[in-house]
Amino acid sequence: MGIASLHLVDGGRRDPWVAERRYRELMVSVRHPAREAGGCPLAPQMLPGEAAAFEEWSNFSGDIAKGLADWGATLTHAHLGAPVARHAGRGFPVVLYSPGAGDPRSLGSTLADELASRGYVVVSVDHTYEAPGVQFPDGRVARTRMPEEAGKAQRPEQVVALLKKLTAVRVADTRFVLDELARPAALPRGLRGALDLRAVGMFGQSGGGFTAAQAMHDDRRIKAAVNMDGVMGYTQRDDDPANPSTVGTDGLDRPLLLMGKEGDDHHTVASWKAVWEHSSGWHRDLTLTGAAHASFTDAQSLVPQLAGAGVLPRETVEKLVGTVAPDRSVAAQRAYVTAFFDRWLRGCDGGLLDGPSARFPEVRFVR
């Protein structure tokens, strides 16, 4: 598969996090099926400026000390400069990815690589000034403003306001990216005419999962969404039904797949229950047994390697990515996310989503 980075500028929107920025800038990664990849180098998971920012501050900073990992050393399976594969008919279906709150788009590389290898164009979005660092083509790195924003949210109503703003910004970013994908001039030459924008899905982890569901609620261009362990209300507690989102109060009329860590399902997470009860579209709730919140990111593979190198205690690994075997977790996520989009964007159904499978005993269907 190939990969290209796009620098998108929304001249009609001031940056919501930095008042002096008169327009909103985004970086997105576009993975695509490739004709061949010989001689094309593998893309790094993070650019140097992004890796340095991630080292300085991330959602793992409280558990992984500085200097324990070289975040810029990991390579993806996507090849820089690989030519776009030939396509038939309407082109390749498109899947958007939104990372967890405060995470970079690069932490979803495993599933993005998988979907691109299966014939999808996968567009991963960095939410600027929320991600640890976003590196632009001219070398600038936009560092996160989230520690400062969180520090200003001292009262409960301020926390709710911040969560509402985060989600609104993310949904606006998503809709702008969809607008740009429909504009040929915004795309690399090889991708022009290669995207089937009548078959668009979206997935994400944590806040990105909420973003996927809320964006589908707000924008009918999105036909199917996967929420991986993301609360869908403006609350910091899973069991708190207060301050619901519109996706919770209205539900969804298009397909939604929920994938939760151990203990998170529509019986225990209040916002999931609301979406479940109000949705008329197809929906499923799957638990990945033994998983933790970050299991649905590349941390599932990366963090255990630090333990294997003797620099991270086993209890820290279990706190971050649970007790599920990393290879089994990754295999299950690849299988079920691909099966979901195959079913709803391509009309190809192998039956994996119909009930428990002996191939994946780690996955429990929640009724």
Side-chain angles (χ1 to χ4, degrees):
M1 84 207 72
I3 188 170
S5 295
L6 301 183
H7 176 205
L8 305 178
V9 179
D10 186 352
R13 182 168 50 130
R14 280 186 171 271
D15 194 283
W17 301 114
V18 181
E20 59 268 25
R21 303 293 298 179
R22 290 180 295 177
Y23 48 84
R24 178 77 167 157
E25 291 182 274
L26 300 175
M27 289 299 300
V28 304
S29 297
V30 183
R31 287 171 169 83
H32 58 80
R35 290 201 302 271
E36 57 184 27
C40 298
L42 291 172
Q45 184 182 31
M46 298 184 195
L47 295 174
E50 295 165 346
F54 192 85
E55 173 80 354
E56 186 65 28
W57 180 89
S58 77
N59 284 322
F60 302 135
S61 294
D63 298 293
I64 302 176
K66 293 179 183 179
L68 291 186
D70 182 356
W71 299 110
T74 303
L75 298 176
T76 70
H77 293 285
H79 294 261
L80 293 164
V84 179
R86 294 180 179 87
H87 61 88
R90 305 195 313 186
F92 302 113
V94 177
V95 176
L96 304 175
Y97 172 74
S98 177
D103 281 345
R105 72 189 191 275
S106 53
L107 274 189
S109 293
T110 299
L111 286 175
D113 284 349
E114 178 69 14
L115 288 167
S117 76
R118 302 290 182 179
Y120 293 89
V121 169
V122 184
V123 182
S124 303
V125 183
D126 255 339
H127 301 288
T128 313
Y129 297 115
E130 184 190 326
V134 179
Q135 184 168 328
F136 293 100
D138 60 6
R140 286 178 299 127
V141 178
R143 297 290 185 112
T144 184
R145 296 298 178 96
M146 289 307 103
E148 296 92 330
E149 294 292 333
K152 291 187 290 187
Q154 297 298 316
R155 299 191 303 275
E157 65 271 20
Q158 292 174 318
V159 173
V160 171
L162 176 58
L163 294 173
K164 287 183 175 181
K165 181 177 179 179
L166 273 170
T167 305
V169 171
R170 287 165 152 265
V171 170
D173 288 347
T174 300
R175 302 185 76 174
F176 170 66
V177 170
L178 278 172
D179 292 343
E180 291 293 281
L181 293 178
R183 197 169 63 85
L187 300 173
R189 187 175 301 276
L191 283 169
R192 296 172 189 175
L195 278 59
D196 182 4
L197 294 175
R198 292 167 291 184
V200 176
M202 187 169 182
F203 74 109
Q205 182 263 353
S206 191
F210 183 8
T211 303
Q214 187 66 52
M216 184 165 73
H217 171 276
D218 294 353
D219 196 316
R220 299 204 65 83
R221 290 176 291 183
I222 301 173
K223 308 302 183 186
V226 180
N227 175 0
M228 309 181 85
D229 213 47
V231 173
M232 292 183 284
Y234 306 112
T235 176
Q236 293 179 297
R237 282 187 20 232
D238 287 359
D239 62 348
D240 183 7
N243 302 300
S245 63
T246 52
V247 71
T249 56
D250 297 343
L252 292 164
D253 61 0
R254 280 151 287 155
L256 174 68
L257 177 63
L258 300 172
M259 295 188 73
K261 69 178 182 180
E262 185 84 48
D264 279 1
D265 57 47
H266 69 274
H267 300 295
T268 62
V269 180
S271 59
W272 287 24
K273 182 176 186 288
V275 174
W276 191 268
E277 292 179 345
H278 293 132
S279 291
S280 59
W282 181 99
H283 45 283
R284 290 284 186 276
D285 184 356
L286 307 179
T287 293
L288 182 57
T289 56
H293 188 56
S295 291
F296 299 101
T297 73
D298 290 349
Q300 179 69 88
S301 298
L302 297 173
V303 170
Q305 294 180 53
L306 295 175
V311 298
L312 203 64
R314 174 53 54 183
E315 54 267 27
T316 301
V317 174
E318 293 184 0
K319 173 187 174 184
L320 293 175
V321 295
T323 58
V324 63
D327 59 337
R328 296 299 306 166
S329 174
V330 170
Q333 292 178 55
R334 283 173 167 165
Y336 283 91
V337 172
T338 300
F340 175 79
F341 288 123
D342 280 352
R343 181 170 185 170
W344 296 110
L345 299 185
R346 279 192 164 132
C348 302
D349 190 358
L352 186 63
L353 293 164
D354 293 338
S357 169
R359 291 169 51 210
F360 299 104
E362 303 86 359
V363 175
R364 180 169 61 88
F365 281 64
V366 183
R367 303 300 182 186

